[in-house]
Amino acid sequence: MEIKPLLWRAVLLSMALLTALPILAVFGYVFVPAPEVWQHLRETVLSDYLLNTLWLVLGVGFGVLLLGLPAAWLNSMCQFPGQRFFEWALLLPLAMPAYIIAYTYTGMLDFSGPVQSLLRELTGWGYGDYYFPNVRSLGGAITMLSLVLFPYVYLLARAAFLEQSICVLEVSRTLGSNQWQSFFRVALPLARPAIITGLSLALMETLADFGTVQYFGVTTFTTGIFRTWFGLGDHAAASQLAALLMGFVFVLILLERWSRHKARYHHTSSKYSRLPRYPLRGSYAVAAVLVCALPLLLGFVIPVGQLLYWSVTTATNGLDADFIKLVWNSIMLASLAALFALLLALILGYGKRLSNDPLVNLTARIAAMGYAIPGTVIAIGVLIPFAWMDTQLNTISQQWRGSTIGLVLSGTLFTVLFAYNVRFLAVSLQTVEAGLGKIKPTLDNAGRSLGLSAFGVLHRLHLPLMKGTLLTAILLVFVDVLKELPATLILRPFNFNTLAVRAYELASDERLADAGLPSLMIVVAGIIPVILLSRSIGKSRAGEH
Amino acid sequence: MSKLTLQNIHIRYSNNAVVHAVSLTVEDGQIGCLLGPSGCGKTTLLRAIAGFESVTQGSITLNGQLISDHNTHLPPEKRTIGMVFQDYALFPHLNIADNITFGIRKQSSQDKARRVAELLELVNLPGYAKRYPHELSGGQQQRIALARALAPRPRLLLLDEPFGSQDVELREMLAREVRDILKREGMTAILVTHDQHEAFAMADEIGVLQQGRLQQWDTGYNLYHKPANAFVAGFIGQGVLLPGIVLNHNTVATALGNVHGDVPESCQPECPVSVLIRPDDLRLVADSPHPATVISRGFRGAEYLYGLALNDGSQLLALTPSHQAHPIGASVCIELDLQHLVILPTLTSY
């Protein structure tokens, strides 16, 4: 296809610049001095931010490995009751945003919740008579995040175990190592790069988390940025905190890149034999079921049960016109963002396919980075340039017409959509690229040689082949936007509410039961991508023919 | 001493018999081979010897030690039986030296270093100790896989389609190379392959398996020249079974005239039999009582392989020097040049 090179490059360059804008804006503030606020931060909360973030990362890192690894091993190598069910069901906690699981456990475990009430009833203890761990703590945040993020480790570790040629394990047996020794000497080291990839994805989400730590009152970088921006009103200091947080994120991105790079050399073979799963019996089978059932129960079934209970009890007052407005807002916003992201992803995806322009790769790389950047950072990175542009526009308008025109960009839906695209373009881009990758260039050639025009190739070959891909890309971004909290909270127009924001506000107002219905809707929507994911896994099982 | 004996081995998956009544013996220092088309049960049998499959009936003994029967199953790691896999299965996270010492980690580091040097010398890859598997070519990886399997001095070495991933032209050469290495080490070994040339190049004795049954256990020469049945005759080398009628104890009448040779005692006069005609048993001559028509022709460099049809419709293959060129459709005359007669009692054709 002929594309006018100049126009094409201009489109690409502006896409790259716009996606990078929030990051550039944040780093642009690094050298703006904000001595007083920093002095204040250093004296009061900075060490808390650092330590809490560090503990959170360490704790969640340990937690996701503990929950994800044994389940991954059991589900790739063993046979036990319910294994086929657990194989995909263990992905379900991914549908549960961390801030929502935090609400449910707070509701269940706080002083007036059912667990402690039952405990008091059974023992006759009163207030202060017993010790009960406080959910709304650093340890609680670690537990909540681990419960919903462990599927990343599970997913990647399981894929790595399945990908290993069974011959490698058998060779180890013929060389005198038993099953356990073979696991630790061969399978685990081989899966290490994949496990590190899963771990770094989980930790990126941990660093990005705002809703959970804010609700639990754990001061980390994300809550600190929020507080410094809105509470102290210091944009420079907030940006500098954001830049520091980005530094941690970059470390994780590098770690992830490095481990993916290493994984290439850890590929054992292109030939796979049928995986003979060891059948587990008796107490071993019970243990295996427990190892899989516990994370599933705690990370999905129990919190969903609590949300259902709340939704049923509040349904009569909850389902009013306001709520319908809320659902409509969310769906409208998420659909717009998803379509917008798909459009950009298609431009980039086809650009990559049709030209070797290094600019395309650069743009795609920058776009892909957005997914790792915490929503809070993106939000203020968007606010800074948009507020600046608004000021400029108003100055011009004042000079020309003698009156201001108000906020044109910031505080509008456009800002929110823009931020979503910075954050989620990577999701649709990855999907589109994967879909296009399956359409071999020779297919285009075959189409052209059979008399199709360039447009004909698009219409008669690509469109039918890409239909599923396009739908997947839209769905994934849709659900991600639906769950997104911090950027929406910061950037939404005045009085514009979404399900996530409303759930957050209700929970913050101690109206947990009322937060149940909007939360439940988010979780239900979140199950869609999990189903898509487990389907695509089912199709591409390397270990079995 | 390493002597492997399989006695009446049956292997069943649920109700599906994969291996049926196989008995064989590989003497110390000998190289045996299980040869057969894919799905014949040869790999299953090999995995049963390694300890990855259990046997339903029968017994496997190594040096007089019972390692498998219907209620004994020594786990693979306790058998000291080495195995080389088709995809080599080198450990990609370990370097070559660590790969080789994987099975001898309990030895002292000096012993290990000595063994690594010795084995790298043996497989002709000295100086590769610190390399990683992904830096090696396929052939080199294969030799390292062999060295790794030999390191713990196993009592028996199993090779599962060890040359399957190599180019066809290389296979025979590699097979001879590996044979030399095994013979130098005095290793008892069993090879599994579907490629008869590989089997001939490497093994002392070859077992042809079909549908889980051992058809014949013999030397390569005997498999070709004295096949026990029609399957072996068809599977080893090329050939056509020509129908015939027994006249007496050393004569069979065929479309190509009477042929002479030992007729099996089970075949009485008047009994219908099949005579195995190899492509090199036929000559195209200027004149003979047996005219035929060329129906196909394959150029093989030094030779042509002709497909011929006799007047009665039966078809034959003939291998002739390539300067004897006949176009398709040409009429030729053929003459039998049988060195010895292979007569099979049944008329089953393969």
Side-chain angles (χ1 to χ4, degrees), chain A residues 165 167-179 181 185-186 189-190 265-269 271 274 276, chain B residues 13 47 52-53 75-77 81-83 85-93 102-103 105 134 148-149 152 165:
Chain A
S165 154
C167 298
V168 182
L169 292 176
E170 288 185 342
V171 146
S172 154
R173 300 285 304 275
T174 65
L175 293 170
S177 297
N178 65 27
Q179 288 170 22
Q181 290 164 330
R185 294 184 68 198
V186 179
L190 281 179
Y265 296 125
H266 281 213
H267 212 273
T268 42
S269 127
K271 287 207 167 69
R274 184 179 55 92
Chain B
Y13 293 142
R47 292 170 58 80
F52 294 119
E53 310 279 353
E77 63 269 21
I81 292 178
M83 189 153 173
F85 288 81
Q86 180 176 9
D87 66 352
Y88 322 136
L90 293 181
F91 302 126
H93 62 302
F102 190 94
R105 70 196 153 120
H134 68 263
R148 179 180 64 180
S165 321

Short mmCIF file of all heavy atoms in Angstrom, two decimals, chain A residues 165 167-179 181 185-186 189-190 265-269 271 274 276, chain B residues 13 47 52-53 75-77 81-83 85-93 102-103 105 134 148-149 152 165:
data_model
loop_
_atom_site.label_atom_id
_atom_site.label_comp_id
_atom_site.label_asym_id
_atom_site.label_seq_id
_atom_site.Cartn_x
_atom_site.Cartn_y
_atom_site.Cartn_z
N SER A 165 10.44 -29.47 27.44
CA SER A 165 10.35 -30.79 26.86
C SER A 165 10.39 -31.80 28.00
O SER A 165 11.22 -31.71 28.89
CB SER A 165 11.53 -31.01 25.93
OG SER A 165 11.80 -32.37 25.83
N CYS A 167 11.33 -34.61 27.84
CA CYS A 167 12.59 -35.36 27.73
C CYS A 167 13.63 -34.84 28.71
O CYS A 167 14.42 -35.60 29.25
CB CYS A 167 13.16 -35.27 26.33
SG CYS A 167 12.11 -35.96 25.09
N VAL A 168 13.64 -33.53 28.93
CA VAL A 168 14.64 -32.97 29.82
C VAL A 168 14.48 -33.53 31.22
O VAL A 168 15.45 -33.86 31.89
CB VAL A 168 14.54 -31.43 29.83
CG1 VAL A 168 15.61 -30.84 30.71
CG2 VAL A 168 14.68 -30.90 28.43
N LEU A 169 13.22 -33.66 31.64
CA LEU A 169 12.97 -34.22 32.96
C LEU A 169 13.31 -35.71 32.98
O LEU A 169 13.82 -36.24 33.97
CB LEU A 169 11.51 -34.01 33.36
CG LEU A 169 11.12 -32.56 33.61
CD1 LEU A 169 9.65 -32.44 33.90
CD2 LEU A 169 11.93 -31.99 34.75
N GLU A 170 13.02 -36.38 31.88
CA GLU A 170 13.29 -37.82 31.84
C GLU A 170 14.78 -38.10 31.81
O GLU A 170 15.27 -39.04 32.44
CB GLU A 170 12.59 -38.44 30.63
CG GLU A 170 11.08 -38.48 30.84
CD GLU A 170 10.34 -39.19 29.73
OE1 GLU A 170 10.91 -39.34 28.64
OE2 GLU A 170 9.19 -39.58 29.96
N VAL A 171 15.51 -37.28 31.07
CA VAL A 171 16.97 -37.43 31.07
C VAL A 171 17.50 -37.32 32.49
O VAL A 171 18.34 -38.10 32.91
CB VAL A 171 17.61 -36.34 30.18
CG1 VAL A 171 18.94 -35.91 30.72
CG2 VAL A 171 17.79 -36.87 28.78
N SER A 172 16.96 -36.36 33.22
CA SER A 172 17.42 -36.17 34.59
C SER A 172 17.13 -37.43 35.42
O SER A 172 17.93 -37.82 36.26
CB SER A 172 16.74 -34.93 35.14
OG SER A 172 16.63 -35.00 36.51
N ARG A 173 16.00 -38.08 35.14
CA ARG A 173 15.70 -39.33 35.85
C ARG A 173 16.73 -40.41 35.49
O ARG A 173 17.24 -41.11 36.37
CB ARG A 173 14.30 -39.85 35.50
CG ARG A 173 13.15 -38.92 35.83
CD ARG A 173 12.82 -38.85 37.29
NE ARG A 173 12.52 -40.12 37.91
CZ ARG A 173 11.34 -40.72 37.91
NH1 ARG A 173 10.32 -40.16 37.30
NH2 ARG A 173 11.16 -41.86 38.54
N THR A 174 17.04 -40.54 34.20
CA THR A 174 18.00 -41.59 33.81
C THR A 174 19.39 -41.29 34.36
O THR A 174 20.23 -42.17 34.40
CB THR A 174 18.10 -41.73 32.28
OG1 THR A 174 18.66 -40.54 31.74
CG2 THR A 174 16.78 -42.03 31.64
N LEU A 175 19.64 -40.03 34.75
CA LEU A 175 20.94 -39.69 35.31
C LEU A 175 20.90 -39.74 36.83
O LEU A 175 21.75 -39.17 37.49
CB LEU A 175 21.38 -38.32 34.82
CG LEU A 175 21.67 -38.28 33.32
CD1 LEU A 175 21.88 -36.86 32.83
CD2 LEU A 175 22.90 -39.11 32.97
N GLY A 176 19.89 -40.38 37.39
CA GLY A 176 19.90 -40.68 38.82
C GLY A 176 19.20 -39.70 39.73
O GLY A 176 19.31 -39.80 40.94
N SER A 177 18.45 -38.70 39.18
CA SER A 177 17.71 -37.80 40.07
C SER A 177 16.26 -38.26 40.14
O SER A 177 15.67 -38.55 39.11
CB SER A 177 17.73 -36.37 39.52
OG SER A 177 19.04 -35.88 39.49
N ASN A 178 15.68 -38.28 41.33
CA ASN A 178 14.28 -38.67 41.41
C ASN A 178 13.39 -37.47 41.05
O ASN A 178 13.88 -36.41 40.70
CB ASN A 178 13.94 -39.26 42.78
CG ASN A 178 14.07 -38.23 43.88
OD1 ASN A 178 13.92 -37.04 43.65
ND2 ASN A 178 14.38 -38.70 45.08
N GLN A 179 12.06 -37.66 41.13
CA GLN A 179 11.14 -36.63 40.66
C GLN A 179 11.35 -35.28 41.33
O GLN A 179 11.36 -34.23 40.69
CB GLN A 179 9.70 -37.08 40.87
CG GLN A 179 9.29 -38.16 39.91
CD GLN A 179 7.96 -38.78 40.28
OE1 GLN A 179 7.16 -38.17 40.96
NE2 GLN A 179 7.74 -39.99 39.82
N GLN A 181 14.08 -34.19 42.96
CA GLN A 181 15.37 -33.62 42.59
C GLN A 181 15.31 -33.05 41.17
O GLN A 181 15.86 -31.99 40.90
CB GLN A 181 16.46 -34.69 42.69
CG GLN A 181 16.76 -35.09 44.12
CD GLN A 181 17.54 -36.40 44.20
OE1 GLN A 181 17.41 -37.25 43.32
NE2 GLN A 181 18.35 -36.53 45.23
N ARG A 185 16.34 -29.38 40.25
CA ARG A 185 17.59 -29.22 39.51
C ARG A 185 17.35 -28.83 38.06
O ARG A 185 18.22 -28.26 37.42
CB ARG A 185 18.40 -30.52 39.55
CG ARG A 185 18.89 -30.87 40.94
CD ARG A 185 19.76 -32.11 40.90
NE ARG A 185 21.02 -31.86 40.22
CZ ARG A 185 21.79 -32.82 39.76
NH1 ARG A 185 21.44 -34.07 39.86
NH2 ARG A 185 22.93 -32.52 39.17
N VAL A 186 16.19 -29.17 37.52
CA VAL A 186 15.97 -28.92 36.09
C VAL A 186 14.76 -28.01 35.83
O VAL A 186 14.89 -26.93 35.28
CB VAL A 186 15.79 -30.25 35.33
CG1 VAL A 186 15.54 -29.96 33.86
CG2 VAL A 186 17.03 -31.11 35.48
N PRO A 189 14.93 -24.25 37.58
CA PRO A 189 15.88 -23.34 36.92
C PRO A 189 15.47 -22.98 35.50
O PRO A 189 15.66 -21.85 35.07
CB PRO A 189 17.20 -24.11 36.91
CG PRO A 189 17.05 -25.19 37.89
CD PRO A 189 15.61 -25.45 38.08
N LEU A 190 14.88 -23.93 34.79
CA LEU A 190 14.48 -23.65 33.41
C LEU A 190 13.33 -22.66 33.36
O LEU A 190 13.22 -21.86 32.44
CB LEU A 190 14.05 -24.94 32.71
CG LEU A 190 15.17 -25.83 32.22
CD1 LEU A 190 14.61 -27.06 31.56
CD2 LEU A 190 16.02 -25.06 31.23
N TYR A 265 17.10 -18.54 25.54
CA TYR A 265 18.13 -19.57 25.62
C TYR A 265 17.68 -20.75 26.47
O TYR A 265 18.33 -21.77 26.51
CB TYR A 265 19.42 -19.00 26.20
CG TYR A 265 20.01 -17.96 25.30
CD1 TYR A 265 20.30 -16.69 25.76
CD2 TYR A 265 20.24 -18.25 23.96
CE1 TYR A 265 20.82 -15.74 24.93
CE2 TYR A 265 20.75 -17.30 23.12
CZ TYR A 265 21.05 -16.04 23.61
OH TYR A 265 21.55 -15.11 22.77
N HIS A 266 16.60 -20.53 27.19
CA HIS A 266 16.14 -21.61 28.06
C HIS A 266 15.09 -22.47 27.36
O HIS A 266 14.48 -23.32 27.97
CB HIS A 266 15.59 -21.04 29.37
CG HIS A 266 16.69 -20.68 30.30
ND1 HIS A 266 16.59 -20.77 31.66
CD2 HIS A 266 17.94 -20.26 30.06
CE1 HIS A 266 17.72 -20.40 32.20
NE2 HIS A 266 18.55 -20.07 31.25
N HIS A 267 14.92 -22.21 26.09
CA HIS A 267 13.97 -23.01 25.34
C HIS A 267 14.58 -24.36 25.10
O HIS A 267 15.68 -24.47 24.57
CB HIS A 267 13.68 -22.31 24.03
CG HIS A 267 12.29 -22.55 23.57
ND1 HIS A 267 11.98 -23.64 22.83
CD2 HIS A 267 11.16 -21.88 23.79
CE1 HIS A 267 10.68 -23.62 22.60
NE2 HIS A 267 10.16 -22.56 23.17
N THR A 268 13.88 -25.41 25.50
CA THR A 268 14.54 -26.70 25.47
C THR A 268 14.50 -27.37 24.12
O THR A 268 15.46 -27.98 23.70
CB THR A 268 13.92 -27.64 26.52
OG1 THR A 268 12.51 -27.47 26.47
CG2 THR A 268 14.43 -27.32 27.88
N SER A 269 13.41 -27.27 23.41
CA SER A 269 13.34 -28.01 22.17
C SER A 269 12.11 -27.63 21.42
O SER A 269 11.18 -27.05 21.96
CB SER A 269 13.33 -29.50 22.48
OG SER A 269 12.27 -30.11 21.84
N LYS A 271 10.47 -30.01 19.91
CA LYS A 271 9.68 -31.23 19.88
C LYS A 271 9.10 -31.49 21.26
O LYS A 271 9.80 -31.45 22.25
CB LYS A 271 10.58 -32.41 19.50
CG LYS A 271 10.96 -32.41 18.04
CD LYS A 271 11.24 -33.84 17.60
CE LYS A 271 11.32 -33.95 16.10
NZ LYS A 271 12.49 -33.29 15.56
N ARG A 274 3.87 -36.05 24.66
CA ARG A 274 2.72 -35.99 25.54
C ARG A 274 3.20 -35.90 26.98
O ARG A 274 4.11 -36.59 27.39
CB ARG A 274 1.91 -37.27 25.35
CG ARG A 274 0.62 -37.35 26.10
CD ARG A 274 -0.03 -38.68 25.77
NE ARG A 274 0.88 -39.79 26.06
CZ ARG A 274 0.92 -40.43 27.19
NH1 ARG A 274 0.10 -40.09 28.15
NH2 ARG A 274 1.76 -41.42 27.39
N PRO A 276 2.99 -36.89 30.47
CA PRO A 276 2.32 -37.84 31.34
C PRO A 276 2.22 -37.20 32.73
O PRO A 276 3.22 -36.89 33.34
CB PRO A 276 3.27 -39.04 31.35
CG PRO A 276 4.60 -38.48 30.93
CD PRO A 276 4.42 -37.10 30.39
N TYR B 13 -2.02 -50.11 27.37
CA TYR B 13 -2.60 -48.87 27.89
C TYR B 13 -4.09 -49.11 27.93
O TYR B 13 -4.67 -49.36 26.89
CB TYR B 13 -2.32 -47.69 26.97
CG TYR B 13 -0.89 -47.27 26.86
CD1 TYR B 13 -0.37 -46.85 25.65
CD2 TYR B 13 -0.05 -47.28 27.97
CE1 TYR B 13 0.94 -46.44 25.53
CE2 TYR B 13 1.25 -46.87 27.87
CZ TYR B 13 1.75 -46.45 26.64
OH TYR B 13 3.03 -46.05 26.54
N ARG B 47 11.09 -47.25 26.31
CA ARG B 47 10.77 -46.52 27.54
C ARG B 47 10.47 -47.47 28.69
O ARG B 47 10.68 -47.12 29.85
CB ARG B 47 9.60 -45.56 27.30
CG ARG B 47 9.97 -44.41 26.35
CD ARG B 47 8.75 -43.61 25.94
NE ARG B 47 8.06 -43.05 27.08
CZ ARG B 47 8.45 -41.96 27.73
NH1 ARG B 47 9.49 -41.30 27.31
NH2 ARG B 47 7.78 -41.53 28.77
N PHE B 52 10.29 -45.77 32.21
CA PHE B 52 9.25 -44.75 32.11
C PHE B 52 7.87 -45.35 31.84
O PHE B 52 6.87 -44.66 31.90
CB PHE B 52 9.59 -43.73 31.01
CG PHE B 52 10.80 -42.91 31.34
CD1 PHE B 52 11.91 -42.94 30.53
CD2 PHE B 52 10.81 -42.11 32.47
CE1 PHE B 52 13.03 -42.18 30.83
CE2 PHE B 52 11.92 -41.35 32.79
CZ PHE B 52 13.04 -41.39 31.96
N GLU B 53 7.84 -46.61 31.45
CA GLU B 53 6.56 -47.29 31.28
C GLU B 53 6.64 -48.57 32.10
O GLU B 53 7.73 -49.14 32.26
CB GLU B 53 6.32 -47.69 29.82
CG GLU B 53 6.52 -46.59 28.81
CD GLU B 53 5.31 -45.68 28.70
OE1 GLU B 53 4.27 -46.00 29.32
OE2 GLU B 53 5.41 -44.64 28.03
N PRO B 75 12.46 -47.59 39.73
CA PRO B 75 12.33 -46.28 39.09
C PRO B 75 13.55 -45.97 38.21
O PRO B 75 14.63 -46.50 38.45
CB PRO B 75 12.24 -45.31 40.27
CG PRO B 75 12.75 -46.05 41.44
CD PRO B 75 12.52 -47.50 41.19
N PRO B 76 13.35 -45.14 37.18
CA PRO B 76 14.40 -44.90 36.18
C PRO B 76 15.73 -44.49 36.81
O PRO B 76 16.78 -44.91 36.33
CB PRO B 76 13.85 -43.76 35.33
CG PRO B 76 12.43 -43.62 35.65
CD PRO B 76 12.12 -44.39 36.88
N GLU B 77 15.65 -43.67 37.88
CA GLU B 77 16.91 -43.16 38.43
C GLU B 77 17.72 -44.22 39.16
O GLU B 77 18.87 -44.01 39.48
CB GLU B 77 16.64 -41.95 39.35
CG GLU B 77 15.81 -42.23 40.60
CD GLU B 77 14.32 -42.03 40.37
OE1 GLU B 77 13.89 -42.07 39.20
OE2 GLU B 77 13.60 -41.84 41.36
N ILE B 81 20.62 -46.92 33.73
CA ILE B 81 20.48 -47.09 32.29
C ILE B 81 20.49 -45.69 31.70
O ILE B 81 19.70 -44.84 32.09
CB ILE B 81 19.15 -47.79 31.94
CG1 ILE B 81 19.18 -49.24 32.41
CG2 ILE B 81 18.89 -47.72 30.43
CD1 ILE B 81 17.90 -50.01 32.14
N GLY B 82 21.44 -45.43 30.81
CA GLY B 82 21.54 -44.10 30.20
C GLY B 82 20.61 -44.00 29.01
O GLY B 82 20.22 -45.00 28.43
N MET B 83 20.22 -42.75 28.68
CA MET B 83 19.32 -42.60 27.54
C MET B 83 19.68 -41.34 26.76
O MET B 83 19.96 -40.29 27.34
CB MET B 83 17.87 -42.54 28.02
CG MET B 83 16.87 -42.60 26.91
SD MET B 83 15.30 -43.30 27.49
CE MET B 83 14.27 -43.06 26.06
N PHE B 85 18.01 -38.87 23.97
CA PHE B 85 16.69 -38.60 23.39
C PHE B 85 16.82 -37.99 22.00
O PHE B 85 17.85 -37.40 21.65
CB PHE B 85 15.91 -37.64 24.29
CG PHE B 85 15.44 -38.27 25.55
CD1 PHE B 85 16.29 -38.41 26.64
CD2 PHE B 85 14.15 -38.73 25.67
CE1 PHE B 85 15.86 -39.00 27.80
CE2 PHE B 85 13.70 -39.32 26.83
CZ PHE B 85 14.56 -39.45 27.90
N GLN B 86 15.75 -38.13 21.27
CA GLN B 86 15.74 -37.62 19.90
C GLN B 86 16.07 -36.13 19.84
O GLN B 86 16.80 -35.69 18.97
CB GLN B 86 14.36 -37.86 19.28
CG GLN B 86 14.28 -37.36 17.86
CD GLN B 86 12.95 -37.68 17.24
OE1 GLN B 86 12.03 -38.12 17.91
NE2 GLN B 86 12.84 -37.45 15.95
N ASP B 87 15.52 -35.35 20.79
CA ASP B 87 15.80 -33.91 20.75
C ASP B 87 17.00 -33.55 21.65
O ASP B 87 17.16 -32.42 22.02
CB ASP B 87 14.56 -33.11 21.12
CG ASP B 87 14.15 -33.33 22.57
OD1 ASP B 87 14.74 -34.21 23.23
OD2 ASP B 87 13.25 -32.62 23.04
N TYR B 88 17.78 -34.55 22.00
CA TYR B 88 18.99 -34.40 22.83
C TYR B 88 18.68 -34.02 24.27
O TYR B 88 19.32 -34.50 25.18
CB TYR B 88 20.00 -33.40 22.27
CG TYR B 88 20.10 -33.45 20.77
CD1 TYR B 88 20.14 -32.29 20.02
CD2 TYR B 88 20.12 -34.67 20.11
CE1 TYR B 88 20.20 -32.34 18.64
CE2 TYR B 88 20.18 -34.73 18.73
CZ TYR B 88 20.21 -33.57 18.00
OH TYR B 88 20.25 -33.63 16.66
N ALA B 89 17.70 -33.11 24.45
CA ALA B 89 17.30 -32.71 25.79
C ALA B 89 18.47 -32.29 26.65
O ALA B 89 18.57 -32.64 27.82
CB ALA B 89 16.50 -33.84 26.47
N LEU B 90 19.38 -31.53 26.09
CA LEU B 90 20.44 -30.94 26.92
C LEU B 90 19.79 -29.92 27.84
O LEU B 90 18.79 -29.31 27.48
CB LEU B 90 21.49 -30.26 26.04
CG LEU B 90 22.32 -31.19 25.17
CD1 LEU B 90 23.34 -30.38 24.37
CD2 LEU B 90 23.03 -32.24 26.00
N PHE B 91 20.38 -29.74 29.02
CA PHE B 91 19.83 -28.76 29.95
C PHE B 91 20.30 -27.38 29.52
O PHE B 91 21.49 -27.07 29.62
CB PHE B 91 20.28 -29.06 31.37
CG PHE B 91 19.88 -30.43 31.82
CD1 PHE B 91 20.83 -31.32 32.32
CD2 PHE B 91 18.57 -30.86 31.75
CE1 PHE B 91 20.46 -32.59 32.74
CE2 PHE B 91 18.20 -32.13 32.16
CZ PHE B 91 19.15 -32.99 32.66
N PRO B 92 19.39 -26.53 29.04
CA PRO B 92 19.84 -25.27 28.45
C PRO B 92 20.41 -24.29 29.47
O PRO B 92 21.10 -23.36 29.09
CB PRO B 92 18.57 -24.70 27.81
CG PRO B 92 17.45 -25.40 28.46
CD PRO B 92 17.94 -26.71 28.94
N HIS B 93 20.11 -24.50 30.77
CA HIS B 93 20.61 -23.56 31.77
C HIS B 93 21.98 -23.95 32.29
O HIS B 93 22.54 -23.25 33.12
CB HIS B 93 19.61 -23.44 32.91
CG HIS B 93 19.38 -24.73 33.65
ND1 HIS B 93 18.93 -25.88 33.02
CD2 HIS B 93 19.54 -25.05 34.94
CE1 HIS B 93 18.82 -26.84 33.91
NE2 HIS B 93 19.19 -26.37 35.08
N PHE B 102 26.04 -33.87 35.35
CA PHE B 102 24.74 -33.88 36.02
C PHE B 102 24.49 -35.21 36.75
O PHE B 102 23.99 -35.24 37.86
CB PHE B 102 23.63 -33.64 34.99
CG PHE B 102 22.29 -33.38 35.61
CD1 PHE B 102 21.86 -32.09 35.85
CD2 PHE B 102 21.44 -34.43 35.94
CE1 PHE B 102 20.62 -31.84 36.41
CE2 PHE B 102 20.20 -34.19 36.51
CZ PHE B 102 19.79 -32.90 36.74
N GLY B 103 24.87 -36.30 36.11
CA GLY B 103 24.58 -37.61 36.69
C GLY B 103 25.67 -38.12 37.61
O GLY B 103 25.54 -39.21 38.17
N ARG B 105 27.21 -36.05 40.12
CA ARG B 105 27.52 -34.91 40.97
C ARG B 105 28.12 -35.30 42.31
O ARG B 105 28.70 -34.48 43.01
CB ARG B 105 26.28 -34.05 41.17
CG ARG B 105 25.22 -34.70 42.02
CD ARG B 105 23.90 -34.02 41.87
NE ARG B 105 22.83 -34.95 42.15
CZ ARG B 105 21.94 -34.75 43.12
NH1 ARG B 105 22.00 -33.69 43.87
NH2 ARG B 105 20.99 -35.64 43.32
N HIS B 134 23.03 -23.78 23.56
CA HIS B 134 22.52 -23.04 22.40
C HIS B 134 23.63 -22.56 21.48
O HIS B 134 23.37 -22.10 20.38
CB HIS B 134 21.64 -21.86 22.86
CG HIS B 134 22.39 -20.78 23.56
ND1 HIS B 134 22.45 -20.70 24.93
CD2 HIS B 134 23.12 -19.75 23.09
CE1 HIS B 134 23.18 -19.64 25.26
NE2 HIS B 134 23.60 -19.05 24.17
N ARG B 148 26.98 -37.09 27.98
CA ARG B 148 26.28 -36.95 29.26
C ARG B 148 25.70 -38.29 29.70
O ARG B 148 25.76 -38.65 30.87
CB ARG B 148 25.16 -35.92 29.11
CG ARG B 148 24.37 -35.73 30.38
CD ARG B 148 23.28 -34.70 30.22
NE ARG B 148 22.27 -35.15 29.24
CZ ARG B 148 21.21 -34.43 28.92
NH1 ARG B 148 21.03 -33.25 29.44
NH2 ARG B 148 20.34 -34.89 28.04
N ALA B 149 25.15 -39.03 28.73
CA ALA B 149 24.55 -40.32 29.08
C ALA B 149 25.63 -41.33 29.48
O ALA B 149 25.39 -42.19 30.33
CB ALA B 149 23.74 -40.84 27.91
N PRO B 152 27.93 -41.43 33.76
CA PRO B 152 27.81 -42.27 34.96
C PRO B 152 28.15 -43.74 34.69
O PRO B 152 27.89 -44.56 35.55
CB PRO B 152 26.33 -42.13 35.35
CG PRO B 152 25.72 -41.15 34.43
CD PRO B 152 26.59 -41.08 33.23
N SER B 165 16.74 -35.90 14.07
CA SER B 165 16.70 -34.47 13.78
C SER B 165 17.78 -34.06 12.79
O SER B 165 17.92 -32.89 12.49
CB SER B 165 16.89 -33.69 15.07
OG SER B 165 16.23 -34.30 16.13
#
